[in-house]
Each structure stands twice: as C-alpha cells, then as structure tokens.
C-alpha cells in the first residue's frame, strides 16, 4: 500500500526531529508498504502542501502523527487541535483514503482527539507494531477492530483495544 505519514508538529522554537513517525515509517516499510513522510513543521502553507502531495501521489492510507496537543505553556497556551482539524479536513477533501491518527499527543486523549477533528481511527501507544498490522488488514479488506492499540468511533461510541508495549525498539 502507498502510505503517507504526516508529522503535524508546527512548533518551530526548539523544533524536534519527528523520531516517532520515523520509527513507524520504518516498520511499515519493513512490512512491505511504500511510505512517504511529510513534515509540516516548516511549511508556510501546510494545507496546500499536503493537498498537493496527496493529489500527486494518491496514498491508500494517511497517518497523522500528533506529538503534542498544545504548547504546554500555562502563561501563553496555544492549542494545536485547530491545526489538526484543518489537516484532517484537507485530507478528507483530497482523498477517500482512511486517515489514522497516532503519536504521543493523540495517545494522551484519543477519544477527545478523534471527536475534535472528526476522525474515526487512531493508534494509541507505540505504532511500530500496530500500524503495520492495521495496514495489512486494510489492504486485505478485513476487519481492523482487533488491532492492538486501535481506537475508533462507531455510532458515536468510543472503542479502544489495549495497546501492545514494545520492550525493545531495536529488535530486528
């Protein structure tokens, strides 16, 4: 499958390499999927760049990594949820591909985040194992609801499977 992984982080002060999404990308590639990364951190018009990338490549699945939900500054708080909502809206207006949320920020409040941006699927916890499993099931057209760590909304009810913890990220 063609998979577009999008790093949502837009914090330019003390910008951090999107390492988590790189691990997930490597795991998806190892599982046989074609993966491209898009880091929106330094894009001036993130939605336009995202739309162009989607239309040029037509991914089968889009994964969005949510590292933080806000800037964690109590004296000058900034929520990143509006940007996430805009990115999901851009994806939906550009393709019918499933949109899967993940990342540490998403994992902190998965139910609320799915609802806030009108998404239906997410991976809670470490995605290195769960995301390739999800991709395989989507590719086969089989039921995804037993994927470890999967979170989803169905009939406005939140569901989540227990995540799998990876004891050794350096395993081969």
């Amino acid at each position: 499958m063609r998979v577009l992984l999008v790093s949502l982080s837009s914090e330019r002060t003390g910008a951090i390499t999107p390492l988590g999404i790189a691990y997930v990308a490597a795991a998806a590639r190892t599982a046989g999927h074609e993966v491209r990364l898009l880091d929106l951190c330094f894009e001036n018009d993130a939605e336009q760049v995202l739309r162009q990338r989607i239309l040029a490549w037509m991914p089968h699945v889009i994964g969005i990594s949510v590292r933080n939900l806000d800037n964690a500054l109590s004296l000058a708080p900034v929520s990143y949820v509006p940007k996430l909502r805009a990115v999901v809206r851009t994806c939906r207006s550009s393709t019918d591909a499933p949109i899967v949320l993940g990342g540490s920020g998403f994992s902190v409040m998965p139910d609320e985040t799915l609802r806030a941006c009108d998404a239906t699927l997410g991976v809670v916890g470490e995605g290195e194992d769960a995301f390739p499993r999800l991709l395989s099931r989507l590719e086969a057209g089989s039921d995804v609801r037993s994927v470890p760590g999967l979170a989803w909304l169905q009939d406005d009810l939140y569901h989540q499977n227990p995540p799998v913890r990876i004891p050794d990220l350096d395993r081969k």
Side-chain angles (χ1 to χ4, degrees):
M1 295 184 83
R2 286 189 310 272
V3 180
L4 177 62
L5 292 176
V6 180
S7 176
L8 184 68
S9 179
S10 60
E11 190 59 50
R12 294 179 180 188
T13 304
I16 297 173
T17 302
L19 188 57
I21 201 169
Y23 274 120
V24 172
R29 283 186 183 118
T30 298
H33 302 285
E34 188 178 354
V35 180
R36 292 190 183 171
L37 291 170
L38 175 59
D39 186 354
L40 296 178
C41 186
F42 295 101
E43 299 295 343
N44 291 325
D45 189 349
E47 287 81 24
Q48 181 62 25
V49 170
L50 176 60
R51 182 176 293 107
Q52 289 172 347
R53 189 71 57 94
I54 291 169
L55 295 175
W57 197 50
M58 296 307 293
H60 299 119
V61 175
I62 298 173
I64 301 173
S65 176
V66 183
R67 184 175 180 278
N68 294 80
L69 294 173
D70 60 42
N71 65 349
L73 295 175
S74 60
L75 296 178
V78 175
S79 173
Y80 300 143
V81 174
K83 180 175 181 179
L84 172 59
R85 192 178 300 119
V87 165
V88 170
R89 194 171 35 249
T90 298
C91 291
R92 286 189 188 265
S93 70
S94 304
T95 181
D96 291 331
I99 300 164
V100 182
L101 304 182
S104 57
F106 171 75
S107 295
V108 170
M109 297 176 55
D111 182 358
E112 297 84 350
T113 306
L114 285 173
R115 291 177 193 281
C117 66
D118 194 29
T120 51
L121 291 176
V123 172
V124 175
E126 298 157 344
E128 293 84 349
D129 182 70
F131 192 66
R133 284 192 205 198
L134 176 61
L135 293 175
S136 295
R137 299 228 178 122
L138 288 170
E139 186 172 39
S142 59
D143 189 3
V144 299
R145 291 176 291 179
S146 64
V147 172
L150 187 70
W152 71 97
L153 294 174
Q154 184 176 5
D155 299 325
D156 205 35
L157 295 175
Y158 177 76
H159 305 273
Q160 179 187 324
N161 297 328
V164 170
R165 301 290 181 224
I166 300 173
D168 180 9
L169 290 177
D170 292 326
R171 72 173 196 250
K172 300 252 181 211

